[in-house]
Each structure stands twice: as structure tokens, then as C-alpha cells.
Amino acid sequence: MTPTDFAKFRSVKIDNGSGVLVNCLSDDFAYVFTAKHVPENDTPTVTDYAGDTIECLKVYRHSQADIDCAIILIKKKPGLILADVAIVNDVPIHDACLLAGYPETRNKEEDQERRFKPQSAIITSYQNDVFTILADGSPTKSYIDGFSGTGVYWVKDNICKLIGIEARLDDKIHPTAGENFGRLRCYPISRLLEIIEAESLPELIPDFLSCFSKLKHDAFAFKLADGPSIEPIFDFLKTKTDKIIQSDLQKQYELYKQGIEITPLYPSDKEGLRHKLPWVHFLQHLLICQQIDAKQFDYSYWKTNERKRIFVFHNSEDTWLKS
């Protein structure tokens, strides 16, 4: 799937603006992240990329007047494709990113799909509370209107990671032209998390909890020895890891919701399940167990293994695999 298609399927039109569908730990509803000024009232019109209406349940706006962020609670329905967020502390300046929204200039298009427009950009600054991007081609305001609230995806190696939303044109105006030529102000996921915490809403599903395949690279990101002799072993173990990924074992977020029986080494480690490292080690644990038992990996095997082996974790980078 191309980055454009990835973003399109998760984009929505909200009144005269845009938004992005986001997954959360709920079986009944999901989120739409958008800018605070986009919903025209408490029951905005929300439609997906195909033009189908999505039922809006409630709008939650950021409590700070100068933070242009909001979350729309929507009812889940079959066919919705939801984004899993990437909570990052830093993004390299000048890296590529992608917007996916519904500019006002395309509102009259009869073909619903032509109302959608991808817009490539580069990241020009990044802080924990706000970041700015520069849209390719330096489009003027008339071509940007309607993008407000759309998801911003960091594109690396053809992989999209949702890192925030676009809110509005940046304040910096060109000194002679009176335009800012595509400079856009955006808010990172951390600002949306503030709404979730303040309103006691269900947690987001981080992208690393969406599939064990997101952990495979990290599971083998260490060296046991130099030279070609280790490569066949790694290839063999990676093949076995693929079998685990393709099995009928639930995804990480489903295990997380069910209260998976993982034992923290210290009480402070309990919150570690919200982070990536314990799940990387858990995948390694599954692989080691499967190799010891020489059994086909499936849900039945895992439940049997769960009763005879305990996975104890410590949420620290200081492990034998990293030494």
C-alpha cells in the first residue's frame, strides 16, 4: 500500500475541514483527531473517504484556548480503517511527511475520491508541544483551506507513522508577499493525549501494539558474534518468528485489553506494558519457548505454554541482549 492510500483510507471530512480516524482500546467507539475550530457544532457531519456518514457521539475540545486540538468520539462500524498512533519525542528536521485531507477547492467535485487530496511536505521544526511543516510547492492559503485537522504522517522508508494533526497556517508571513506560502502549524499526538487524560477516555493503541510484525526488527537488533556463521541462524529464527506473527494469536492490544499474564520484576515496571520494550522481549520469549518445545505455534500452544512458563520483564534497556 502506498503512503497516499494508507493516509486516504484513514482520513475523514468534518464539516468544512478534515480529520483522521484513530484506534483506541474500545470495542464500541473510535476517535477522530482534528483541530478544535473544525467542528462547527457538537454534532458535526463526518464522512469517510468513500462519502459514507460516520455517527458522531461527542466532541471533546482541548481545555486551553490556544491549543487548537479536538477529539470526536465516533461509533465503530464495519469497514472503518483506523490509524494507530506513533508517539515520538523527536523527528529529524527536513524529513518527509504527508497530509491527507479535503481542501475547500475540491468541495464541488462530483467524484468523492477526487475531493481527497494528498499533500507532501517536509518537517521544518519539531518540539514536544508543537511542530511546523512546509508543504511542497509552497501552496497559497486558498489551496490549504480545508486541510485543517488532517493527520500528519511521518514517512520513512515508505512507512507512514501518524505523529500529529495540522491545525492552521503558521504565523510567520512572508515580508513582501503577505503570504506564508505553505508553512503549517501542527500539534503532536501528545496534545491529543492531554484531552484523553483530562476526559478519562480509553487509551490509544500505539502502532507497536497493532501487530507483532512491528516488533520483529527490534527482536533481532543485537549481535551475538561477527561473521557469516551467525547469519543462517538468524535467518532460521526470523522464519520461525514469521510463523508466530502469522498465527492465530491475538494482537498485542487485544492481549493488553485482556490483562495478559506478564509478571513485572518491580512494581514500577507495571506501566511498562504501554511501552515497546517489554513487547519486544515478549516476542523473543514466545520464539524461545517454541524452539524449546519444537511445537507448531498457535493460540492453543500459547495458552498451554502460558500455564507452565512465566514471562517476567524489567522495563530497562540494560539487558543481556543489549550488553
Side-chain angles (χ1 to χ4, degrees):
M1 181 181 295
T2 66
T4 295
D5 285 339
F6 183 93
K8 177 177 72 174
F9 296 144
R10 292 157 179 82
S11 67
V12 292
K13 181 172 175 57
I14 308 165
D15 294 333
N16 288 315
S18 304
V20 56
L21 294 163
V22 176
N23 211 350
C24 68
L25 290 170
S26 170
D27 295 325
D28 301 318
F29 55 82
Y31 298 144
V32 172
F33 286 178
T34 189
K36 187 193 298 185
H37 72 271
V38 169
E40 297 177 355
N41 50 51
D42 289 334
T43 55
T45 301
V46 181
T47 55
D48 65 16
Y49 74 95
D52 296 326
T53 300
I54 300 172
E55 183 178 351
C56 172
L57 302 176
K58 191 170 183 178
V59 179
Y60 296 92
R61 297 173 174 85
H62 200 287
S63 59
Q64 290 182 231
D66 60 337
I67 305 299
D68 194 2
C69 294
I71 295 176
I72 302 175
L73 204 65
I74 61 168
K75 187 175 181 179
K76 275 189 175 178
K77 66 174 186 177
L80 279 185
I81 301 176
L82 307 172
D84 303 308
V85 301
I87 301 172
V88 295
N89 295 321
D90 192 23
V91 177
I93 304 304
H94 302 308
D95 265 21
C97 62
L98 178 69
L99 311 179
Y102 297 85
E104 291 183 8
T105 53
R106 298 195 175 192
N107 278 351
K108 295 182 179 180
E109 291 283 354
E110 293 185 7
D111 184 349
Q112 177 64 29
E113 290 207 10
R114 285 191 55 78
R115 297 182 183 183
F116 165 84
K117 183 181 187 299
Q119 173 66 57
S120 57
I122 60 168
I123 297 165
T124 54
S125 71
Y126 192 91
Q127 292 85 37
N128 289 332
D129 57 348
V130 67
F131 65 100
T132 58
I133 63 177
L134 179 63
D136 290 351
S138 302
T140 59
K141 181 178 182 300
S142 61
Y143 288 95
I144 294 297
D145 287 343
F147 270 107
S148 292
T150 188
V152 179
Y153 296 90
W154 178 23
V155 182
K156 196 74 173 175
D157 298 325
N158 218 37
I159 296 174
C160 290
K161 293 185 177 182
L162 179 65
I163 60 170
I165 61 162
E166 187 271 326
R168 60 182 175 84
L169 294 167
D170 193 47
D171 290 332
K172 294 183 179 179
I173 302 298
H174 191 279
T176 58
E179 278 271 13
N180 65 11
F181 290 108
R183 286 181 56 88
L184 306 175
R185 176 169 295 190
C186 309
Y187 291 101
I189 297 298
S190 58
R191 285 302 196 183
L192 285 306
L193 289 174
E194 291 170 356
I195 301 175
I196 291 171
E197 183 176 356
E199 301 291 347
S200 299
L201 296 170
E203 294 180 63
L204 298 179
I205 298 180
D207 59 345
F208 61 81
L209 285 183
S210 62
C211 182
F212 279 105
S213 63
K214 301 289 182 73
L215 307 174
K216 180 181 174 181
H217 174 78
D218 293 287
F220 291 93
F222 58 91
K223 288 186 177 181
L224 296 180
D226 292 326
S229 60
I230 200 70
E231 292 179 6
I233 299 175
F234 264 43
D235 291 341
F236 172 80
L237 293 176
K238 288 178 180 178
T239 300
K240 294 298 182 181
T241 303
D242 288 336
K243 297 293 185 183
I244 295 174
I245 293 170
Q246 295 161 11
S247 73
D248 58 354
L249 178 64
Q250 298 113 307
K251 305 305 181 186
Q252 300 94 295
Y253 71 87
E254 294 172 330
L255 297 173
Y256 180 80
K257 283 197 298 183
Q258 294 171 7
I260 183 174
E261 294 183 18
I262 292 180
T263 305
L265 187 60
Y266 300 111
S268 59
D269 289 329
K270 190 173 183 180
E271 293 298 309
L273 287 178
R274 300 183 182 187
H275 302 283
K276 189 175 186 179
L277 186 63
W279 294 99
V280 172
H281 292 337
F282 181 65
L283 178 58
Q284 294 166 335
H285 166 75
L286 297 178
L287 176 61
I288 292 168
C289 292
Q290 190 270 336
Q291 288 304 293
I292 290 173
D293 296 335
K295 297 286 184 68
Q296 178 179 340
F297 192 96
D298 55 21
Y299 179 77
S300 176
Y301 164 76
W302 176 68
K303 293 304 291 183
T304 301
N305 178 70
E306 188 182 37
R307 289 191 289 269
K308 69 179 182 180
R309 293 191 180 100
I310 298 175
F311 176 68
V312 181
F313 79 92
H314 175 38
N315 194 36
S316 170
E317 292 283 348
D318 187 20
T319 68
W320 67 274
L321 291 174
K322 301 291 183 181
S323 62

